[in-house]
Amino acid sequence: MRKLICSALVLLTLCLPVRAAESVPVQVDGYPLEGPAFLEDGVTYVPLRELLEALGGRDLRWDPDSRTAVSDSLKLAADPAANLVTVDGTPYPGAVEVWQGRTYVPLRLVSEALGASACWDPWMRGAAVTSPDAPCDAMDFYWLSRVIFAESGGEPLEGQIAVGNVVLNRVEHEQFPDSVPAVVFDCADAVQFEPVANGSIYQTPSDAAMEAARRALNGENTAGDALYFYAPALSQGAWINASRAFELAIGCHRFYS
């Protein structure tokens, strides 16, 4: 009976930190991480199996003898008893929790140990992970694909890339913020993109919008030096027409530098 009670207390102790923590979204290379993630004392904890799969489908198994989660292909072991993650023989101290059959590890610690990068995304209020072989930054891709979809999801691919070009041109321009999400959510002179105001910026982008974001981030340009665009069917564009130089029209949008 005493052993049973002790076992229950140990299990409860392992569960409490995660249950009491705040649930947060996590994305890897622009795609939401499967399985719940939690924020506790400034540390984001994610299910190890799902993180490894998102970083390339690596294997993970539970070793009942050592009571650790093990990935043979990565030479990784996560030990809840020792609060230790070991990667290729190098130990990384950090809380390892077991909850509802999942092994949870600190996101930044494990991501960086595997050669990825992790950062906090204040606009998503969650974490973004860029894998070692990713062609572009995960946070840039995440928000660029979403603003492209919200602004031009029904446009031809050329027009969707052009919307992405406008955002990236602003990133490079001294008049605007210097990152993709900061440009998207810029409201210094009123909200710059209508999807931010109406909430459609948070919709899941289409495959075409994601392809357009990839191409734009990889340097493909269909909008020249344009910094502005509008759809004449939805807006008169009085200020843009009066003060900016017309560049070209693609689909339903007119682009201005």
Side-chain angles (χ1 to χ4, degrees), residues 174-193:
E174 62 182 9
Q175 182 181 341
F176 298 96
D178 58 3
S179 75
V180 168
V183 164
V184 170
F185 289 94
D186 181 20
C187 58
D189 298 310
V191 174
Q192 297 293 300
F193 295 96

Side-chain angles (χ1 to χ4, degrees), residues 70-78 85-92 113-114:
V70 178
S71 172
D72 296 313
S73 62
L74 290 175
K75 299 180 181 178
L76 177 150
V85 178
T86 303
V87 178
D88 201 16
T90 302
Y92 298 90
L114 296 175

Side-chain angles (χ1 to χ4, degrees), residues 5-21:
I5 293 175
C6 290
S7 297
L9 288 174
V10 169
L11 181 60
L12 180 61
T13 301
L14 289 173
C15 291
L16 277 176
V18 176
R19 286 184 174 180

Side-chain angles (χ1 to χ4, degrees), residues 26 28 33-34 46-58 105-107 110-111 114 129:
V26 174
V28 179
L33 183 72
E34 297 294 331
V46 296
L48 180 57
R49 181 182 300 278
E50 283 78 357
L51 177 61
L52 297 185
E53 290 176 350
L55 291 175
R58 280 103 171 201
V105 295
L107 174 63
V110 175
S111 296
L114 296 175
V129 178

Side-chain angles (χ1 to χ4, degrees), residues 25-205:
V26 174
Q27 58 102 343
V28 179
D29 294 337
Y31 295 89
L33 183 72
E34 297 294 331
F38 302 91
L39 180 68
E40 183 180 42
D41 296 330
V43 178
T44 302
Y45 293 90
V46 296
L48 180 57
R49 181 182 300 278
E50 283 78 357
L51 177 61
L52 297 185
E53 290 176 350
L55 291 175
R58 280 103 171 201
D59 62 293
L60 186 71
R61 62 183 174 83
W62 180 258
D63 184 341
D65 296 325
S66 62
R67 299 189 62 78
T68 59
V70 178
S71 172
D72 296 313
S73 62
L74 290 175
K75 299 180 181 178
L76 177 150
D79 186 347
N83 280 327
L84 191 69
V85 178
T86 303
V87 178
D88 201 16
T90 302
Y92 298 90
V96 178
E97 308 286 351
V98 176
W99 182 54
Q100 293 187 346
R102 283 188 169 107
T103 300
Y104 282 80
V105 295
L107 174 63
R108 185 186 296 275
L109 183 151
V110 175
S111 296
E112 293 181 351
L114 296 175
S117 62
C119 63
W120 183 257
D121 182 343
W123 296 276
M124 186 177 71
R125 296 182 182 177
V129 178
T130 304
S131 67
D133 300 323
C136 52
D137 178 79
M139 189 158 32
D140 287 349
F141 176 65
Y142 184 90
W143 289 115
L144 190 64
S145 61
R146 277 158 175 75
V147 74
I148 288 173
F149 178 65
E151 287 281 10
S152 60
E155 295 295 299
L157 184 61
E158 178 187 6
Q160 295 188 49
I161 293 172
V163 168
N165 295 151
V166 168
V167 174
L168 295 177
N169 288 344
R170 289 190 178 195
V171 171
E172 297 299 322
H173 197 283
E174 62 182 9
Q175 182 181 341
F176 298 96
D178 58 3
S179 75
V180 168
V183 164
V184 170
F185 289 94
D186 181 20
C187 58
D189 298 310
V191 174
Q192 297 293 300
F193 295 96
E194 182 63 24
V196 172
N198 63 29
S200 60
I201 189 68
Y202 301 104
Q203 294 176 347
T204 301

